[in-house]
Amino acid sequence: MQSHWILEPKPSTGLTVSLTHAASLMQILGMGHQHAVAEGLLGLLQEHVPLAQCTIFAHEGTRAPRIVAVGDRSRTQTLADIAEAYVTRFYRLDGCMTAMREELSAARKAGMQHPRIVMHRQTGSDIAHDEYRHVCYERPQVAERLALLALFEGRRWLSVNLYRGIEHGPFDPRSLDVVSAFAPLIVHAVRLHHTGQSVNQELGDLLLARLRLRHPYLTPRDCDVVRCLLDGLSTTAMAERLGLTLASARTYVKRVYRKLGVSGQRDLIGMLLEPGRKV
């Protein structure tokens, strides 16, 4: 089986798009919550292709990828934690990393208006690393992943990963044709959503800088914990990102709240958004 190939534009027949799903997707781009776009794509595709999950990552240079969004068809409540494990421990083992390296030069020449879309297939049997295979494929009962890779601004790959559950089986030729037909819409929608979310990321950076200025006594670990809270991570995902036990992560969160005199995440964000608040 060919592991990756370049999407060739071709006319599609017999495909209709629900106006309700399309309108819902447009409304949340860059403005809805972080994971809205992944959930919206699952809703858009579900009438044509059975899918279990969708994860979206941004890859830039040699840095670890950033989670853009995750969406789940009620299979597991731990997809966010699985995605966090991927970006902290397993991404270098992903076959799509090779595809992105091999296609970088050609993708840069393609530009943003008509990006070069790279398609990459991967099953659990393609993965030699036992823990990566178990955490990202066997635990969530994934039969196959199809990644849509597109380069933007000549430096940032956006990776849209669509997963078939074991009850669906691998992607068949018809399912591949359907996803290929939707691929240009998918990558442009994700680009718009990522751009909007980047504004929120910059806001998080500004709030963290404000926190350090107002509360210079906070330790670097305290600031790491606040960054995780601003990113909306669960305590489990925070522990994974920071290399802590779950119990330690909970202790750090309680300590930060106590130091800042806030009762929880909402109170913390509200305090940081107050421009004139004194220490």
Side-chain angles (χ1 to χ4, degrees):
M1 181 178 69
Q2 186 181 15
S3 62
H4 86 267
W5 66 96
I6 307 305
L7 179 69
E8 297 293 339
K10 59 180 180 180
S12 60
T13 58
L15 286 179
T16 58
V17 179
S18 163
L19 182 59
T20 299
H21 285 143
S24 297
L25 179 62
M26 293 301 104
Q27 288 171 357
I28 55 88
L29 294 183
M31 301 180 66
H33 63 80
Q34 176 188 352
H35 304 297
V37 67
E39 296 166 357
L41 291 176
L42 286 174
L44 186 70
L45 293 170
Q46 68 179 355
E47 295 179 2
H48 305 283
V49 181
L51 295 170
Q53 298 169 335
C54 174
T55 60
I56 304 171
F57 302 101
H59 300 256
E60 188 169 349
T62 59
R63 292 181 292 180
R66 185 172 68 82
I67 299 171
V68 176
V70 300
D72 200 329
R73 297 282 87 180
S74 300
R75 293 170 56 80
T76 173
Q77 299 302 311
T78 61
L79 181 57
D81 298 331
I82 293 172
E84 188 68 21
Y86 171 82
V87 301
T88 56
R89 298 159 57 194
F90 303 128
Y91 74 93
R92 293 183 182 88
L93 305 170
D94 192 339
C96 75
M97 301 298 293
T98 300
M100 288 187 285
R101 285 195 299 269
E102 292 180 357
E103 299 297 334
L104 179 60
S105 178
R108 281 177 171 163
K109 295 177 182 178
M112 291 179 60
Q113 295 303 313
H114 302 285
R116 184 179 178 89
I117 300 175
V118 182
M119 312 280 281
H120 180 268
R121 300 180 73 175
Q122 183 168 273
T123 67
S125 61
D126 297 323
I127 300 171
H129 192 279
D130 291 341
E131 190 177 10
Y132 174 27
R133 182 176 62 253
H134 173 70
V135 171
C136 295
Y137 284 77
E138 294 173 352
R139 184 197 297 173
Q141 299 185 330
V142 166
E144 185 178 11
R145 182 206 65 186
L146 178 64
L148 283 62
L149 311 168
L151 186 72
F152 292 102
E153 300 171 350
R155 59 187 177 85
R156 180 183 296 112
W157 286 96
L158 293 178
S159 171
V160 183
N161 302 274
L162 304 173
Y163 301 85
R164 296 263 283 190
I166 57 174
E167 71 274 23
H168 307 133
F171 285 90
D172 55 77
R174 180 187 173 278
S175 296
L176 289 173
D177 286 343
V178 170
V179 175
S180 296
F182 276 101
L185 170 64
I186 292 171
V187 298
H188 281 298
V190 170
R191 176 177 64 86
L192 291 172
H193 188 72
H194 179 264
T195 299
Q197 290 295 318
S198 294
V199 173
N200 293 333
Q201 177 72 18
E202 292 173 3
L203 176 60
D205 293 340
L206 289 173
L207 292 179
L208 194 59
R210 175 178 287 178
L211 178 78
R212 291 191 180 104
L213 180 63
R214 293 177 175 177
H215 303 272
Y217 54 83
L218 292 178
T219 67
R221 178 60 83 190
D222 291 335
C223 292
D224 290 340
V225 169
V226 172
R227 175 81 256 190
C228 290
L229 293 170
L230 292 176
D231 288 345
L233 296 188
S234 67
T235 309
T236 302
M238 178 188 299
E240 186 74 39
R241 176 186 285 188
L242 301 181
L244 301 170
T245 65
L246 184 58
S248 294
R250 289 171 176 159
T251 299
Y252 274 114
V253 170
K254 291 178 181 178
R255 187 180 72 178
V256 165
Y257 287 158
R258 185 170 61 252
K259 283 185 176 183
L260 296 176
V262 296
S263 59
Q265 185 181 35
R266 180 176 297 181
D267 197 16
L268 167 67
I269 294 174
M271 179 267 288
L272 291 174
L273 287 174
E274 295 179 17
R277 177 151 177 166
K278 303 297 183 181
V279 176

